[in-house]
Amino acid sequence: MKVLSVTFSFLKGQFKRLDKLLLLLCITASSLSVYLLYTMVQNEINPDVISNRTWIMQLAAAFVGITLALLISLLDHKLISKICLFTFAPMSLILSLLLFTPLGVQTAGSTETNWLNLGFVQIQPSEFLTVAFIMTFSAHLHKVGDKMNQINHMLLLCLHAFVPIIIMVLQDNTGAPLIVLLVFLMMMFMAGISWKYIAAVVVSLPALGYVFWNFYAKDYHKLRIQVIFDEEIRQQEILGIFYQQGRSLVAMGSGGLTGQGLSKSGGGEYISIFAIHNDFMFAYIGMSLGLIGCILVLVLMLAICIKLLTVAGVAKDPLGKSICTGVFATIFFHTVINVGMVTAVTPVVGVPLPFISSGGSSTLSLYIAIGFALSVWANREKKYHLFYSED
């Protein structure tokens, strides 16, 4: 009985320290995802791709992810950082390198070798490598501290970021290295990078753009960018590279203010879009739930981002602040790029909508990242702050 009493007291104390609002917001997003995927199956949307297994796997990934997030939250983020450095980060790197072996596969309609076939399951290592980068880079920033603007430390920090970026680029991945780059820039900015480095990057942007366009970008990369800004090319590619985005715009427009509803009997005909269950899930939301549904989803994602910034603001040390900044940047940039992609404001780069797009690897990795933020919250400094007040 004494053991049970001690265990109950421990769990009660941990629950009290848990950032219940952040976890609830993420669970709400996952619940919406599972329900939307379920309605796709019921409405027989892309039945060759979307089946009961789709929403069941999403539910399973969310359940495992939430469990891992809760377990991670029990540990101090400093301890988690050390554990990650010697376990999670090397494992993520090894899985990413395995993509260069016959185990690496492409998905239908994609030129990117970003899926690892383990026989019993396929995973996307870049999702886990991004989370591992957040933890290792946070530890790196914490270690160099106020010396980060010294040229030798700055070069090493840049090298740290370029390792996962280069690995992803060599896999012909477009979205993941872009996310890592943006997360890197955000974390550097929040850590206090000198304005002279920021000015140097801004000045060099035209040269970097020239190098990207003439020496790196492939024809389909260029077309994806050109259709965003050139109406003539967009019309020429209406059945080509712009097809997905064009169909997305039609689908979202058909939803109007309140949407067609989540059943065929409740609205008009659904418009079939390839990858509507993952990268183009936002189009399905617009088609089924209308403008109001889209706004509510964006408000939900904004609430998650604000909450993560709140946790960063009350972190007891720079390590915790960097971790939460990285998690915030990951979810924020995923959301902005995905919505821009679906609405034809930005090029298609294969970035999912956090927690909502179908994808076990994405969902699981995001909950691991949320677990890191929950750990920072549990060990925060006690003060008054947004959403919560303490005695």
Side-chain angles (χ1 to χ4, degrees):
M1 291 296 294
K2 186 176 181 180
V3 173
L4 290 175
S5 177
V6 171
T7 302
F8 178 77
S9 298
F10 172 76
L11 293 176
K12 183 179 179 180
Q14 292 300 322
F15 181 77
K16 188 176 181 181
R17 298 169 64 215
L18 184 67
D19 189 346
K20 292 175 279 292
L21 178 57
L22 176 58
L23 189 59
L24 178 61
L25 291 170
C26 296
I27 292 175
T28 300
S30 288
S31 299
L32 175 63
S33 172
V34 172
Y35 181 63
L36 290 173
L37 292 171
Y38 175 78
T39 63
M40 286 185 184
V41 176
Q42 298 303 304
N43 294 323
E44 299 180 349
I45 297 177
N46 294 354
D48 294 338
V49 180
I50 306 170
S51 64
N52 281 319
R53 186 177 185 276
T54 308
W55 69 265
I56 292 172
M57 289 297 293
Q58 187 73 358
L59 178 62
F63 178 80
V64 174
I66 293 167
T67 302
L68 287 175
L70 290 172
L71 291 174
I72 292 170
S73 70
L74 299 177
L75 305 176
D76 185 274
H77 58 276
K78 291 183 179 179
L79 176 60
I80 295 172
S81 177
K82 293 178 181 178
I83 294 174
C84 182
L85 185 62
F86 295 103
T87 55
F88 183 65
M91 287 174 58
S92 299
L93 183 59
I94 291 171
L95 290 173
S96 296
L97 293 176
L98 285 175
L99 290 175
F100 295 105
T101 72
L103 293 176
V105 296
Q106 297 178 353
T107 56
S110 174
T111 60
E112 302 174 355
T113 306
N114 54 8
W115 287 92
L116 191 63
N117 187 354
L118 299 178
F120 62 96
V121 69
Q122 288 188 358
I123 64 172
Q124 198 168 9
S126 61
E127 302 287 355
F128 299 101
L129 188 59
T130 301
V131 177
F133 168 74
I134 293 172
M135 290 303 292
T136 57
F137 196 69
S138 295
H140 194 162
L141 285 171
H142 181 58
K143 184 176 181 179
V144 300
D146 295 336
K147 299 178 182 178
M148 65 170 289
N149 286 305
Q150 294 179 8
I151 188 64
N152 57 325
H153 289 299
M154 183 58 62
L155 291 174
L156 288 174
L157 287 167
C158 290
L159 178 62
H160 188 149
F162 289 154
V163 168
I165 290 174
I166 291 172
I167 291 174
M168 294 172 181
V169 167
L170 291 176
Q171 295 159 2
D172 204 20
N173 196 328
T174 307
L178 176 60
I179 292 295
V180 173
L181 176 61
L182 292 172
V183 170
F184 161 69
L185 294 175
M186 177 65 76
M187 292 179 72
M188 291 289 282
F189 178 78
M190 294 296 285
I193 186 173
S194 172
W195 284 101
K196 65 181 180 183
Y197 292 114
I198 297 176
V201 171
V202 172
V203 170
S204 63
L205 282 177
L208 293 173
Y210 178 84
V211 172
F212 167 79
W213 190 262
N214 291 282
F215 299 100
Y216 171 74
K218 298 180 181 180
D219 290 341
Y220 70 89
H221 288 140
K222 295 178 180 180
L223 272 177
R224 287 179 179 178
I225 296 172
Q226 288 172 327
V227 295
I228 301 299
F229 303 102
D230 193 318
E231 184 63 30
E232 183 178 346
I233 295 178
R234 176 179 292 195
Q235 292 301 319
Q236 294 172 0
E237 291 294 324
I238 198 70
L239 296 178
I241 208 159
F242 188 69
Y243 181 77
Q244 279 288 92
Q245 289 175 299
R247 297 288 287 176
S248 294
L249 292 175
V250 172
M252 297 189 72
S254 71
L257 182 64
T258 58
Q260 299 181 22
L262 289 168
S263 65
K264 286 185 178 179
S265 60
E269 288 296 320
Y270 283 111
I271 299 171
S272 178
I273 302 171
F274 181 77
I276 194 171
H277 61 303
N278 43 48
D279 291 352
F280 284 81
M281 178 70 98
F282 196 69
Y284 181 69
I285 294 170
M287 179 170 56
S288 303
L289 303 176
L291 177 62
I292 293 176
C294 290
I295 291 174
L296 290 176
V297 168
L298 291 178
V299 169
L300 176 60
M301 302 312 300
L302 179 62
I304 293 174
C305 289
I306 291 175
K307 193 66 189 71
L308 286 167
L309 286 178
T310 302
V311 180
V314 299
K316 69 178 182 180
D317 54 28
L319 176 63
K321 179 181 178 181
S322 292
I323 291 171
C324 292
T325 298
V327 179
F328 154 77
T330 300
I331 294 176
F332 176 77
F333 288 122
H334 265 88
T335 302
V336 171
I337 294 174
N338 178 269
V339 173
M341 207 169 64
V342 174
T343 55
V345 174
T346 61
V348 174
V349 291
V351 172
L353 187 61
F355 298 108
I356 295 178
S357 290
S358 173
S361 298
S362 173
T363 301
L364 193 57
S365 63
L366 283 173
Y367 272 111
I368 291 173
I370 291 297
F372 297 152
L374 292 176
S375 173
V376 174
W377 172 268
N379 296 280
R380 67 195 181 281
E381 291 180 339
K382 293 186 176 181
K383 58 176 69 174
Y384 287 92
H385 43 80
L386 186 63
F387 293 135
Y388 283 92
S389 62
E390 297 181 2
D391 296 330

